[in-house]
Amino acid sequence: MTGRFRELWDEIAPVGRDADSGGYLRYALTPAELRLREWFRAQAELRGMPVSGDGNGNLFAWWGDPAAGGAVLTGSHFDSVPHGGAYDGPLGIVSAFLAVDELRAAGVTPVRPVVVAAFVEEEGARFGVPCLGSRLLTGEIDADRAAGLRDAAGVSFAEALGHRPAGADPALLGRFAAFVELHVEQGRALVDADAPVAVGSAIWPHGRWRFELRGEGNHAGTTRMADRRDPMLTFAFTVLAANKEARLRDAHATVGRVSVEPNATNAIPSRVTGWLDARAAAPETLDGLVEAVQAKAAERARRDGTELTVTRESATPLVTFDGGLADRLAGLLAAPLLPTGAGHDAGVLAAHLPTAMLFVRNPTGVSHSPAESATDDDCAAGVVALARVLEELACH
Ligand code: HGY
Ligand code: MN
Ligand code: MN
């Protein structure tokens, strides 16, 4: 299996890879991701698996009758964060096709369809809302709101998709009996546990908040410090407050994205916009963290004479995966159960059908970075584990 994994992996590894950073630029519905979607269709065709869409940009390759119910869905996403790792997303799709091959080679014929999915815009790196495809399929985001989301160049999701997204598809969703997403681990728990594969137990509640700070643009050289209303000052304080409040709560807070207007070395900014990514093991901890950061930012804005607007752009509640299914798969695979702070399409679908996750060991533990890694042997172990899970769920 290791050789077959490497052979298939090498087909997509160069797609969207930045030569300088070694990271990936695979934004949803851009040329790199579109090439991966074509690769998906070709792989499905090679296996005689008809591909259908849901009108939202998600793709589904069917092993079995697309009209039949009780299907077992697996797969993940192709899109990446800017200069992201190779495995976050694509590993789940490549592994799904190889797991189908594994079952067929063993002469297994499922009694219900097995479906490989590629969800669109899981990272939210282009249109700002993570898990956009799975939220559309499940009706967790309004199709008109999704249609109007715009990328940095002002292109709307509907324009990129080529049409208004279809939105919720309860009939399609109702044909799935379970969803299993295999994903590279985004941490080092499996390294510490010395295990190649784990079963997901939960996803931390998390969300994204946009902090818009407005002040008075002015000349850097002629404006006295006492006369300034500098939003960068309030923003810098907010970032430090987020860091401190997260540490006090053993939570996670990140400000990794900021935009400055006019963004000139010799001009005091008129506006600074920063995005807070906040996550915590418990909902009340997350709420307390975000409230504290907002309060500190507002208090500092008053001192700086700047104006603050905070907008929640996305939120994912605590996801506890189907306990019966997680325990059953952990027993089947003799694998540990593992919570994660990372969001996934599985976290969205978990509210709509029995859902499980498999994690594959990442020796560096690093993700959303070119340093993300996984060994071919562990990826092969992931495929074998996924094949066993699909057989367990689709053959009985
Ligand atoms: O941000 C996340 O947790 C996921 O990688 N989209
Ligand atoms: Mn990711
Ligand atoms: Mn992912």
Side-chain angles (χ1 to χ4, degrees):
M1 173 49 73
T2 304
R4 279 205 301 281
F5 171 80
R6 174 47 55 185
E7 186 183 337
L8 204 54
W9 191 251
D10 282 347
E11 289 185 16
I12 66 167
V15 180
R17 189 171 181 275
D18 179 73
D20 296 329
S21 70
Y24 286 83
L25 305 172
R26 292 168 169 170
Y27 309 128
L29 303 170
T30 62
E33 204 245 7
L34 291 172
R35 277 175 58 196
L36 292 172
R37 296 158 78 88
E38 284 318 305
W39 177 87
F40 180 96
R41 291 179 185 281
Q43 290 303 313
E45 188 173 352
L46 277 176
R47 293 166 175 80
M49 297 170 75
V51 174
S52 64
D54 64 351
N56 297 309
N58 302 314
L59 297 175
F60 302 93
W62 293 76
W63 177 18
D65 177 4
V72 178
L73 181 66
T74 184
S76 191
H77 61 96
F78 281 128
D79 66 301
S80 74
V81 297
H83 302 283
Y87 297 87
D88 177 350
L91 181 63
I93 296 173
V94 169
S95 301
F97 280 122
L98 288 171
V100 166
D101 296 346
E102 187 79 352
L103 291 175
R104 285 175 169 177
V108 171
T109 304
V111 298
R112 62 184 74 233
V114 171
V115 187
V116 178
F119 286 104
V120 72
E121 184 69 337
E122 188 276 343
E123 295 293 1
R126 182 176 179 188
F127 296 102
V129 173
C131 301
L132 186 60
S134 52
R135 291 180 201 262
L136 276 163
L137 170 63
T138 57
E140 293 206 14
I141 188 169
D142 173 71
D144 287 326
R145 179 183 169 216
L149 294 172
R150 293 188 180 278
D151 67 9
V155 177
S156 73
F157 178 65
E159 287 162 346
L161 194 60
H163 54 78
R164 178 183 177 279
D169 189 340
L172 173 61
L173 202 55
R175 296 212 295 275
F176 299 132
F179 175 49
V180 182
E181 179 172 5
L182 180 144
H183 203 281
V184 66
E185 187 196 348
Q186 294 161 306
R188 290 178 49 85
L190 280 172
V191 173
D192 299 339
D194 191 22
V197 174
V199 175
S201 57
I203 294 179
W204 279 18
H206 60 282
R208 301 180 181 190
W209 285 261
R210 187 176 71 248
F211 281 64
E212 288 172 286
L213 288 156
R214 289 172 300 284
E216 182 182 55
N218 207 328
H219 195 295
T222 56
T223 312
R224 297 187 318 152
M225 298 308 283
D227 297 339
R228 295 179 181 212
R229 292 194 295 114
D230 184 352
M232 185 63 83
L233 211 53
T234 315
F235 174 70
F237 177 84
T238 301
V239 174
L240 292 172
N243 180 58
K244 179 181 175 188
E245 295 302 327
R247 289 172 184 272
L248 290 173
R249 292 170 173 78
D250 199 20
H252 297 173
T254 310
V255 179
R257 178 183 169 206
V258 59
S259 78
V260 183
E261 295 170 31
N263 205 28
T265 304
N266 57 352
I268 302 166
S270 55
R271 178 194 291 247
V272 175
T273 305
W275 282 263
L276 171 69
D277 178 311
R279 314 193 186 203
E284 57 277 11
T285 309
L286 177 63
D287 294 344
L289 168 60
V290 176
E291 281 162 22
V293 176
Q294 277 193 237
K296 299 262 185 185
E299 191 264 326
R300 182 71 201 207
R302 277 190 294 278
R303 280 178 51 187
D304 296 336
T306 53
E307 293 159 41
L308 168 68
T309 306
V310 181
T311 308
R312 190 182 76 177
E313 290 194 341
S314 71
T316 301
L318 170 66
V319 172
T320 304
F321 289 117
D322 182 303
L325 180 57
D327 290 341
R328 182 176 159 199
L329 300 186
L332 176 75
L333 302 174
L337 283 162
L338 196 58
T340 179
H344 301 280
D345 291 307
V348 174
L349 290 174
H352 301 269
L353 64 151
T355 298
M357 287 200 78
L358 300 184
F359 296 119
V360 172
R361 179 165 45 193
N362 170 349
T364 65
V366 173
S367 186
H368 285 187
S369 152
E372 181 183 83
S373 78
T375 68
D376 287 3
D377 285 344
D378 282 350
C379 293
V383 171
V384 171
L386 182 59
R388 289 194 61 192
V389 165
L390 295 178
E391 182 179 11
E392 172 77 6
L393 299 180
C395 295
H396 305 290

